[in-house]
Amino acid sequence: PEHPFVHHRSQCFILTTRLQDTNMKKTSICLLSGLLLLSSCLDEDPKYMNDSSVVYTSEQSAQIVLNGLYGLMAVQGSFAQLLPEINTEASGLCWTSYNLSDNRCQYTNGQIPVDNEFNNLVWGALYQAIQNCTNFISELNGPDAGQWDSKANMIAQAKFLRGVCYYQLYTLYGGVPLRVEPTTTENLNLPRASRQQVIDQIVKDWTEAIPDLDDESKLESGKPTAPCKSSAYAYLAKLYWLMGCNSWAAEDGDPWATTTLRQSWPEMQPSRTYFTKAKEYGDSVFKANVFDLERDFRTLFGGNRVSMSDEFVFVVDATMNTTENVGYNSLHWTFSPQNCSPGETWGRSQPSKSFYNWAN
């Protein structure tokens, strides 16, 4: 069954990434807080839809809403904490210092009940981002929206973000409900789509976004670091590589892949088909030549905040929402040893012996 939407107050005040002007910050926070509070309530006639003639009349107002979509990617339930945290814990690469009944230990043990708090937070955060992306796309394509040169690019960015969210849901749950139209009372209770239907939607979002994305990623005042064409190519290569590995596992006799996976994915193709597509998109990334490796490894991991790098395929900046020395991005809290630096460092996820042996 589909999980309910989850809204967190913390999601309302981190939505103005890199807005430099103080007055613009205040305006953006008020507007986006109102939009997201309304979007989390499944009203029959939501007010933000009625106000679209005001919100989407100009590039500036639409950009504020688009910044909010990026902000939804940097909340506790998604990339700022739980997605990297629970994936690491479930991988067997680390152990957690919490008691055995804790949400984290359930991931470490590979026994995750439906009512796991982190499971519900991730589901809610990703679907909140998806729904807001869908509303944004629908409104900008609607008859009441204004016209400006960057409009198609904004829609492409929203499609790229929605594809990223569905990719994360796919890797965790397989088939999930597809919300590609604004939510109404008629489509509130959507059935779970098949694994292949979710794959098709991810590919559709990313391939449709490519023509209108920029040729290169740019860092502009007042805007997040937007994905470029090569960002979408790279993610498509990643998706097809994943499918190729899954298919390869089934061909190699892996128990899960030959039973559960095949049953839920009867459309599975030979692994060579997926690897060929992965190479095709990967070659597109290399051909564009917009990404590069840093010359010095310490540039990325030397302890200093990196605002832009040629290595960044797609960036969600979760460092701007800070209170004194503590940022909302809790990856620092989670993985850093206790008392290793200013601010919170809990060291609750620590490398396992198997990971240590593998690294050696």
Side-chain angles (χ1 to χ4, degrees), residues 326-352:
V326 182
Y328 188 76
N329 182 351
S330 67
L331 297 184
H332 181 62
W333 311 349
T334 302
F335 296 103
S336 300
Q338 293 184 15
N339 303 317
C340 71
S341 66
E344 297 286 352
T345 55
W346 297 333
R348 61 192 179 203
S349 294
Q350 303 172 20
S352 64

Side-chain angles (χ1 to χ4, degrees), residues 113-159:
V114 175
D115 62 353
N116 179 282
E117 180 186 4
F118 290 176
N119 179 60
N120 290 325
L121 286 171
V122 167
W123 183 277
L126 290 174
Y127 266 107
Q128 187 181 36
I130 286 170
Q131 187 63 73
N132 278 272
C133 287
T134 295
N135 291 339
F136 183 79
I137 295 166
S138 176
E139 290 296 338
L140 259 63
N141 282 324
D144 296 328
Q147 299 296 324
W148 56 88
D149 292 342
S150 64
K151 182 177 175 181
N153 176 262
M154 289 183 172
I155 294 172
Q157 290 181 56
K159 287 184 177 180

Side-chain angles (χ1 to χ4, degrees), residues 11 26 53 59 62 108 213 219 245 252 261 270 276 308 315 322:
Q11 293 170 346
K26 293 179 180 178
S53 59
E59 179 181 8
T108 304
L213 290 174
L219 182 63
C245 290
D252 198 42
L261 181 61
T276 300
M308 191 61 183
V315 181
T322 60

Side-chain angles (χ1 to χ4, degrees), residues 214-228:
D214 291 332
D215 292 331
E216 298 183 11
S217 295
K218 294 183 292 186
L219 182 63
E220 299 182 46
S221 176
K223 297 183 180 180
T225 305
C228 63

Side-chain angles (χ1 to χ4, degrees), residues 85-337:
E85 183 174 348
I86 64 178
N87 275 301
T88 304
E89 289 161 354
S91 70
L93 300 181
C94 70
W95 63 277
T96 177
S97 57
Y98 278 61
N99 60 64
L100 293 179
S101 62
D102 182 79
N103 289 286
R104 295 173 184 84
C105 285
Q106 291 173 346
Y107 276 89
T108 304
N109 294 333
Q111 299 176 349
I112 311 165
V114 175
D115 62 353
N116 179 282
E117 180 186 4
F118 290 176
N119 179 60
N120 290 325
L121 286 171
V122 167
W123 183 277
L126 290 174
Y127 266 107
Q128 187 181 36
I130 286 170
Q131 187 63 73
N132 278 272
C133 287
T134 295
N135 291 339
F136 183 79
I137 295 166
S138 176
E139 290 296 338
L140 259 63
N141 282 324
D144 296 328
Q147 299 296 324
W148 56 88
D149 292 342
S150 64
K151 182 177 175 181
N153 176 262
M154 289 183 172
I155 294 172
Q157 290 181 56
K159 287 184 177 180
F160 176 86
L161 295 178
R162 186 170 66 181
V164 170
C165 290
Y166 270 121
Y167 176 82
Q168 294 299 324
L169 286 167
Y170 169 76
T171 59
L172 291 171
Y173 306 108
V176 295
L178 290 174
R179 293 201 169 276
V180 293
E181 298 293 339
T183 300
T184 64
T185 52
E186 286 74 23
N187 64 9
L188 177 59
N189 296 313
L190 290 177
R192 184 174 183 173
S194 70
R195 181 181 291 269
Q196 186 61 49
Q197 287 173 326
V198 176
I199 292 170
D200 291 342
Q201 182 59 48
I202 297 169
V203 172
K204 183 175 186 291
D205 275 342
W206 287 340
T207 53
E208 287 184 354
I210 289 171
D212 294 314
L213 290 174
D214 291 332
D215 292 331
E216 298 183 11
S217 295
K218 294 183 292 186
L219 182 63
E220 299 182 46
S221 176
K223 297 183 180 180
T225 305
C228 63
K229 287 180 171 61
S230 292
S231 303
Y233 288 138
Y235 267 82
L236 283 163
K238 183 176 183 178
L239 173 63
Y240 279 103
W241 178 262
L242 172 64
M243 291 191 288
C245 290
N246 287 339
S247 179
W248 192 9
E251 293 165 0
D252 198 42
D254 176 83
W256 172 79
T258 55
T259 55
T260 304
L261 181 61
R262 280 197 179 278
Q263 292 170 6
S264 65
W265 192 19
E267 303 89 348
M268 181 192 298
Q269 300 295 311
S271 60
R272 178 177 290 274
T273 301
Y274 299 121
F275 287 141
T276 300
K277 291 292 290 185
K279 184 180 185 302
E280 174 187 329
Y281 285 116
D283 286 343
S284 296
V285 176
F286 284 111
K287 183 178 179 180
N289 196 30
V290 298
F291 306 129
D292 200 0
L293 297 179
E294 292 287 352
R295 292 179 179 275
D296 190 338
F297 192 72
R298 289 173 297 182
T299 303
L300 294 174
F301 301 101
N304 297 319
R305 179 176 178 270
V306 181
S307 60
M308 191 61 183
S309 168
D310 288 340
E311 289 199 12
F312 292 169
V313 173
F314 169 57
V315 181
V316 176
D317 189 350
T319 64
M320 297 300 287
N321 176 36
T322 60
T323 302
E324 297 179 346
N325 292 322
V326 182
Y328 188 76
N329 182 351
S330 67
L331 297 184
H332 181 62
W333 311 349
T334 302
F335 296 103
S336 300

